[in-house]
Amino acid sequence: MIVHAPAAYVRDRLPIPMEVESLGEDRCAFEPGSDHPEMLALHLGLLDADFTIVDSPELVDALRNLTDRYRRAIDAAGRPSAGPTDR
């Protein structure tokens, strides 16, 4: 996993201590191990930084599912909601 943010920033935002390798002033890398790609996808969103996935098809699938869920919520927010008499 490559994150487009400084290593210290990423270390401070990860939910558990993890070795984060600096790749320069504004990039770093770490190898997240997770039995739950869905949880990892959520934590990556909380980093508030762009990232690149390296060889993790399970994480890509989890991110797609999460993106689809968020997109449905956004689309539904743009529609008028059904009132009590509209049911």
Side-chain angles (χ1 to χ4, degrees):
M1 172 82 43
I2 297 173
V3 180
H4 304 277
Y9 172 84
V10 172
R11 272 188 218 103
D12 289 344
R13 296 193 64 107
L14 290 173
I16 59 171
M18 188 171 294
E19 185 175 328
V20 179
E21 176 188 358
S22 178
L23 299 177
E25 204 171 290
D26 61 352
R27 283 181 4 132
C28 62
F30 69 96
E31 289 190 36
S34 177
D35 292 337
H36 305 283
E38 297 81 10
M39 290 300 295
L40 179 55
L42 290 171
H43 287 296
L44 288 170
L46 294 173
L47 288 178
D48 197 26
D50 290 343
F51 55 90
T52 303
I53 301 167
V54 179
D55 194 31
S56 182
E58 299 87 3
L59 178 56
V60 170
D61 288 343
L63 285 165
R64 275 196 187 104
N65 291 337
L66 189 59
T67 300
D68 291 344
R69 183 170 297 123
Y70 286 163
R71 187 172 293 119
R72 287 190 301 272
I74 291 166
D75 291 347
R79 294 185 216 128
S81 61
T85 60
D86 295 336
R87 292 185 187 161

